[in-house]
Amino acid sequence: MKYLKLALLALVAVFATTSCMDDDWKDPNSETSPYGNNSIQETNVVSIAELKNTYGPKQKDEINDTVRIADGTQIKGIVTGNDIEGNIYSQISIQDESDNPNKPGEKVTSGIIISVAQGGLSGQLQIGQEVLINVGGLYYGTYRSQPQLGVAYHDSSKDQNYPSRISRADWQNRFKVIGKPDASKIKVQVFSTNPKTSKGELNVADLLDADVAYKYAGCLVTLKGVEFAMGDGKTTLAPEDEGKTLGYGVTRYFKGYDKTNKQIGIRTSCYAEFAANLVPQGVVDVTGVLSCYKSSAKYNHTVQLALRRFSDIKASESK
């Protein structure tokens, strides 16, 4: 009887442990994410376009500044960029679609970059993941003219304000994962060297217009039929020696857009997994998160694409 009782107690313990483990493991196998704050409910969701229109004009200058977002404000969108190969560091980009107030029935795509003091974001927020975010109390602003969200930071040496990285703990409390990742939901705006070949495509040269460039800042875009100016079979994307005086990032421009006041290219971190890869040769299609850069209001903007992964560069399908 003594041994029988011990065996029964052991069996009960196994079932109890299994039950507890099942409870702990439910989230990864269901619609409830183990990351973020699942208690967040949609209460005051505004489109990214509305957010930009509300807070963008309040900035005192277009290079570096911040404006506090009203408490309770939320945005919802699809993740388009993360740190999957180390190029987009401590940031994610999301975008959404909203009604065009000037053209009934037409949708407008808008994107925003969010600065977060956390690595490994791609493990929590994959490309194509829908997410609800509480942005109230954060700051909308620009860093070198590029709109982004973060916490307020004052650079005393330059007397400038710009959005900086949200702390890991604060960030985890601000977002809620919705459903499962579906990259097919992402609307990619195409800019082509021959835009007449497909409906909805714009011309790569259109990005030299500041209104067009900043409209798609923070969005995922594809440039079709471009060629790198330094695709010589010798030059790498982001050598550290070259990047150490440039914030450890290197820009490689496209042919025809590699001159002052006419600059369009890709920006690669010296710490990206593909930083040592050779600059691709030939005509290619390049996909990345678009950003605009200006060091001073007196200069024209530079258009930069941030690759999520090296496979975002493909041999061109353009004819």
Side-chain angles (χ1 to χ4, degrees), residues 34-223:
Y35 307 112
N37 182 356
N38 291 306
S39 67
I40 298 175
Q41 300 297 318
E42 292 187 32
T43 55
N44 184 29
V45 176
V46 301
S47 69
I48 294 174
E50 185 178 351
L51 187 79
K52 288 183 171 182
N53 290 335
T54 300
Y55 295 97
K58 294 182 180 180
Q59 294 166 224
K60 292 189 290 294
D61 71 66
E62 59 181 358
I63 304 303
N64 297 278
D65 203 5
T66 56
V67 180
R68 188 180 186 279
I69 300 170
D71 292 336
T73 306
Q74 299 173 324
I75 58 175
K76 185 168 68 171
I78 305 294
V79 175
T80 58
N82 57 26
D83 56 5
I84 190 168
E85 289 188 7
N87 192 40
I88 300 176
Y89 179 73
S90 292
Q91 292 180 337
I92 63 165
S93 57
I94 70 168
Q95 67 184 48
D96 67 3
E97 286 188 281
S98 58
D99 294 330
N100 186 341
N102 301 316
K103 295 182 179 180
E106 182 178 276
K107 295 290 185 179
V108 175
T109 300
S110 296
I112 193 73
I113 292 171
I114 304 174
S115 186
V116 182
Q118 182 175 342
L121 290 169
S122 59
Q124 300 183 11
L125 296 169
Q126 298 178 42
I127 302 298
Q129 178 65 64
E130 187 174 18
V131 61
L132 174 67
I133 306 172
N134 279 335
V135 295
L138 294 180
Y139 285 76
Y140 174 94
T142 55
Y143 178 72
R144 300 294 179 90
S145 82
Q146 170 60 43
Q148 63 184 48
L149 298 180
V151 296
Y153 176 79
H154 179 71
D155 185 340
S156 57
S157 65
K158 298 179 181 178
D159 193 25
Q160 294 177 340
N161 301 310
Y162 55 84
S164 188
R165 297 168 185 167
I166 305 164
S167 73
R168 178 173 182 169
D170 188 15
W171 170 246
Q172 288 294 319
N173 193 49
R174 285 183 175 273
F175 77 90
K176 177 181 181 179
V177 170
I178 302 173
K180 296 181 179 180
D182 184 357
S184 68
K185 292 181 179 179
I186 301 172
K187 182 178 179 180
V188 183
Q189 178 60 54
V190 177
F191 293 84
S192 176
T193 52
N194 186 17
K196 294 181 180 180
T197 60
S198 179
K199 183 179 179 181
E201 292 185 0
L202 299 175
N203 197 308
V204 172
D206 291 338
L207 289 170
L208 299 176
D209 183 330
D211 288 339
V212 175
Y214 284 94
K215 174 183 177 181
Y216 290 100
C219 292
L220 192 66
V221 305
T222 295
L223 307 188

